[in-house]
Amino acid sequence: MSDKDKELVQVRISIPEHYRRLFKALCTEQDTDMSKKIAEYIREELVKAGKITG
């Protein structure tokens, strides 16, 4: 993976406020932040789809 591939970008998502609050609470309980958790989920989905190697 090149340095350019590691560059972080901002992505805007639209979710119900209720989900956002619950997800934020979940991340706090798990001692992580929302961005890290979402990035992990996206990575897992890309691996499952065979788009990247795990």
Side-chain angles (χ1 to χ4, degrees):
M1 189 180 294
S2 72
D3 287 341
K4 181 136 178 98
D5 291 335
K6 294 178 187 176
E7 182 179 317
L8 299 179
V9 296
Q10 289 186 353
V11 177
R12 183 180 180 125
I13 62 169
S14 297
I15 58 172
E17 177 63 20
H18 180 70
Y19 287 8
R20 188 200 64 79
R21 282 187 263 118
L22 288 171
F23 188 64
K24 185 174 182 179
L26 175 66
C27 290
T28 300
E29 289 172 13
Q30 295 178 349
D31 197 30
T32 189
D33 62 47
M34 292 171 52
S35 293
K36 183 177 179 181
K37 194 74 170 173
I38 291 169
E40 288 171 1
Y41 170 76
I42 291 170
R43 183 184 175 285
E44 289 171 8
E45 290 298 311
L46 290 170
V47 168
K48 279 196 267 184
K51 301 296 182 183
I52 61 173
T53 57

